[in-house]
Amino acid sequence: MQGLMMDTPLLISSLIEFAAVYHSDTELVSRTVEGPIHRYTYHEAHDRSQQLANVLTRLGVQEGERIGTLAWNTYRHFEVYYATSGMGAVCHTINPRLFTEQLIYVINHAEDAFIFVDLTFVPLLEAVQEQIKDVRGFVIMTDSEHMPDTKLPNALCYEELMAAESNDYAWPALDENAASSLCYTSGTTGNPKGVLFSHRSTVLHSYGACMADTLNISSQSVVLPVVPMFHANAWGLPYAAALCGAKMVMPGAQLDGESIHQLIEAEQANVIAGVPTVWLMLLAYLEQTGGRLDSVDSVVIGGSAAARSMIETFQNRYDATVIHAWGMTETSPLGTVGTLKRKHATLTEDERIGLQLKQGRGIYGVDLRIVGPDGNVLPRDGVAFGELQVRGPWVVRSYFKHEGEVLDDGWFPTGDVATLDAEGFMQITDRAKDVIKSGGEWISSIDLENEVLSHPEVAEAAVIGVPHPKWDERPILVVVPAPGAEPEGADILQHLEGRIAKWWMPDDVLFVEELPHTATGKISKMTLREQLADYRLPTAGAGER
Ligand code: ADP
């Protein structure tokens, strides 16, 4: 027997429509690429999104066509999100930090019909325009006063196009399973792969993101996503904010500590979200200036692991609770979130931070399991570690244009190696390809790095496995010293004593000025391994390898 309830499709247009009616005067504030702060309301954002849908219709954009964006977090990018998906097209957010060949690849693979581009990124497109000839036109996200003199063919001015249209537009009743947006993973190996989100997955993910037990966003919130809208849809915050009518603050191109702090203070942001790298910049700025974070209730940290020192500094010095979260483009991206349960109120501070160092616990909508090398499901005991697999309504089923086998028995293998405990907390111990296989056992490069990072003279650290004649692989440590510091290798190893199992001790310590990073700002172990291809272990004996 079927239920007898309405089958209302879950559409992205319904999010902005809702915000425009029920939170019409709630503000969206942006630092524009041109410079000044721009502010308007959900009501105006909705009007302008409808106006932009008319622009897209006038440009001949068809349902299902991909529209690229190369843009910072600003109100115009927000409008492109809603206008493209809302009219039935697919918003393809392009990461400007991709290497040139990858940039060309994703534009052509997505078959972008038009690209909306911020002033900052016009030169990026000019440099590759010969290789992306199928793009029909480039909409420069500015007004006529700031239009650059560009070599791009068919360059159009956003505000001029908008001025020619009315906001008289009715969002179509689309299939909720229709594609809404497209985001490529940065692809540390091989070509980037496209994750094609649907209206349904996006709306369900937005519900998931707002819950008190996840990011706790509501109409009381002022959300500042420092995480870019070109990276996993700014963790879905532009949708989640509309779903609950939160005020949103978009930082534009200026992600340095001073600019972010200034916006937090001026707009009284209380939920701020970003990767550890941006928080390091913010904390360094606060340290120098004595600045405070009085308005901030929670700092969402994801993308890579939050270090103990970062969690302690935010919580103890600035009274802002850290919400450590894990996810990936393939999971929309929210996968696990590290909010504590009622029973955890009695934990000591040390125990609490120990829990917060984990990547968070399973949330409704994302089912988790860990699997050993022979495919057996491992126990949830917080000790056994294996590949993390996930499934749920906002987890990828197949990549865009169906490249390769994705699912393993209905589960998405994440490529992360993790433990799960009886409480549902997940802790990443490594990437499957980075784990160090020594003497038939696994050494977690991430655990080692975290311990090294607690040494005051270390700014950044990476542990990689290098071949060893007896043990198969042994870990070596590559360190970027803290500014002005000149640490000794022996000192750092001594610091590790007692903190790690003896056989985990790195066989060597190398110092470098900087480590290679991927397009999303993570340490590129692959590049590091290439750079150290000729490296020989002192412990392996001369000539032995
Ligand atoms: P990309 O693959 O483009 O770098 P993603 O954001 O999709 O970007 O990366 C997802 C990966 O980032 C995860 O599989 C995981 O390895 C890592 N990651 C995300 N959040 C965390 C976290 N809190 N701690 C450790 N690693 C994380």
Side-chain angles (χ1 to χ4, degrees):
M1 188 190 286
Q2 294 282 295
L4 292 173
M5 309 309 281
M6 293 187 195
D7 198 11
T8 312
L10 303 174
L11 298 179
I12 287 176
S13 55
S14 70
L15 298 173
I16 187 76
E17 247 178 343
F18 166 80
V21 174
Y22 293 92
H23 302 279
S24 62
D25 59 354
T26 299
E27 281 185 313
L28 299 159
V29 181
S30 317
R31 190 189 296 284
T32 60
V33 175
E34 295 87 349
I37 299 290
H38 172 275
R39 54 179 73 237
Y40 68 176
T41 62
Y42 274 116
H43 182 81
E44 290 166 281
H46 183 228
D47 275 357
R48 291 214 356 137
S49 301
Q50 290 173 306
Q51 219 170 327
L52 185 56
N54 279 327
V55 168
L56 294 167
T57 308
R58 173 95 54 194
L59 290 173
V61 172
Q62 303 292 315
E63 244 181 57
E65 271 195 312
R66 273 74 64 203
I67 304 297
T69 68
L70 260 171
W72 300 105
N73 298 8
T74 70
Y75 69 103
R76 291 197 185 106
H77 202 179
F78 183 87
E79 291 162 6
V80 180
Y81 262 45
Y82 280 99
T84 50
S85 304
M87 72 163 313
V90 177
C91 182
H92 167 210
T93 50
I94 306 170
N95 186 341
R97 297 174 189 147
L98 289 175
F99 309 115
T100 309
E101 314 80 72
Q102 294 181 333
L103 186 72
I104 298 167
Y105 174 85
V106 301
I107 292 170
N108 290 327
H109 189 265
E111 301 172 66
D112 289 331
F114 286 86
I115 297 181
F116 282 71
V117 54
D118 265 340
L119 289 170
T120 329
F121 303 123
V122 169
L124 269 187
L125 288 178
E126 286 175 338
V128 301
Q129 69 186 64
E130 289 304 317
Q131 285 102 301
I132 52 167
K133 286 214 176 280
D134 291 338
V135 180
R136 301 205 291 272
F138 299 88
V139 181
I140 305 190
M141 296 164 75
T142 192
D143 51 23
S144 37
E145 196 189 325
H146 293 90
M147 262 309 265
D149 186 16
T150 173
K151 295 194 291 285
L152 284 176
N154 200 10
L156 304 160
C157 171
Y158 189 97
E159 292 302 336
E160 284 174 17
L161 292 171
M162 289 286 270
E165 303 299 332
S166 80
N167 60 16
D168 185 11
Y169 182 90
W171 300 113
L174 305 165
D175 173 355
E176 66 174 12
N177 283 306
S180 58
S181 63
L182 174 64
C183 189
Y184 284 79
T185 64
S186 60
T188 34
T189 50
N191 281 323
K193 296 195 283 283
V195 180
L196 191 60
F197 306 100
S198 68
H199 286 264
R200 176 186 154 83
S201 73
T202 305
V203 172
L204 290 176
H205 179 266
S206 309
Y207 273 117
C210 291
M211 291 194 300
D213 252 4
T214 62
L215 308 185
N216 192 13
I217 302 170
S218 72
S219 57
Q220 306 271 333
S221 309
V222 181
V223 184
L224 193 164
V226 186
V227 52
M229 289 166 74
F230 56 71
H231 192 191
N233 295 326
W235 299 347
L237 291 169
Y239 305 115
L243 180 140
C244 65
K247 170 175 167 180
M248 195 162 73
V249 185
M250 293 171 271
Q254 281 159 257
L255 307 184
D256 59 284
E258 180 175 6
S259 306
I260 294 296
H261 185 242
Q262 195 264 329
L263 267 186
I264 291 173
E265 294 264 283
E267 303 304 327
Q268 293 290 290
N270 72 333
V271 180
I272 60 179
V275 296
T277 322
V278 303
W279 299 140
L280 282 177
M281 294 194 289
L282 177 65
L283 290 174
Y285 173 77
L286 297 176
E287 180 78 9
Q288 281 159 21
T289 56
R292 310 266 331 142
L293 291 177
D294 293 337
S295 65
V296 177
D297 297 318
S298 51
V299 184
V300 184
I301 308 183
S304 24
R308 175 179 283 269
S309 56
M310 181 171 285
I311 299 178
E312 284 174 345
T313 309
F314 272 124
Q315 297 190 158
N316 299 344
R317 197 172 312 160
Y318 299 105
D319 200 21
T321 304
V322 165
I323 301 180
H324 191 185
W326 166 89
M328 54 202 308
T329 307
E330 287 89 335
T331 63
S332 294
L334 227 50
T336 58
V337 187
T339 48
L340 301 184
K341 300 181 184 177
R342 181 178 173 84
K343 65 193 265 189
H344 296 135
T346 55
L347 294 181
T348 63
E349 179 179 330
D350 205 46
E351 290 167 334
R352 195 167 57 242
I353 302 235
L355 209 48
Q356 288 184 295
L357 277 168
K358 297 194 174 198
Q359 271 67 21
R361 59 189 163 92
I363 57 178
Y364 179 79
V366 185
D367 205 1
L368 313 167
R369 70 175 189 184
I370 49 171
V371 172
D374 48 4
N376 53 321
V377 176
L378 298 171
R380 295 167 179 259
D381 59 6
V383 180
F385 57 98
E387 185 173 23
L388 177 66
Q389 301 196 333
V390 296
R391 66 175 180 194
W394 60 77
V395 175
V396 71
R397 182 176 74 219
S398 179
Y399 288 105
F400 184 43
K401 298 187 178 173
H402 307 282
E403 286 152 0
E405 193 48 49
V406 183
L407 299 190
D408 173 4
D409 192 22
W411 293 76
F412 173 71
T414 63
D416 286 318
V417 176
T419 61
L420 273 180
D421 68 18
E423 297 272 354
F425 279 84
M426 184 274 285
Q427 183 157 32
I428 294 193
T429 55
D430 230 318
R431 291 291 292 169
K433 57 187 185 299
D434 293 337
V435 75
I436 295 143
K437 297 161 189 96
S438 183
E441 301 274 354
W442 282 2
I443 297 175
S444 155
S445 65
I446 293 178
D447 280 357
L448 266 178
E449 285 156 13
N450 283 340
E451 294 300 344
V452 174
L453 285 172
S454 66
H455 190 288
E457 295 192 310
V458 173
E460 227 181 347
V463 173
I464 56 168
V466 294
H468 187 281
K470 178 168 174 201
W471 301 112
D472 188 16
E473 277 187 341
R474 287 296 302 157
I476 63 164
L477 171 62
V478 188
V479 168
V480 180
E486 289 180 14
E488 297 277 333
D491 232 32
I492 296 179
L493 293 182
Q494 200 182 3
H495 173 81
L496 293 177
E497 269 171 34
R499 295 169 186 251
I500 55 166
K502 272 205 175 69
W503 61 278
W504 281 33
M505 194 58 83
D507 281 19
D508 201 3
V509 185
L510 311 180
F511 292 96
V512 293
E513 271 172 31
E514 57 175 3
L515 284 164
H517 290 90
T518 65
T520 48
K522 293 168 200 178
I523 294 173
S524 171
K525 299 243 173 122
M526 194 184 63
T527 315
L528 186 61
R529 278 192 286 265
E530 281 166 13
Q531 289 173 353
L532 295 174
D534 294 330
Y535 169 84
R536 271 148 205 268
L537 273 174
T539 45
E544 269 186 81
R545 269 230 301 175

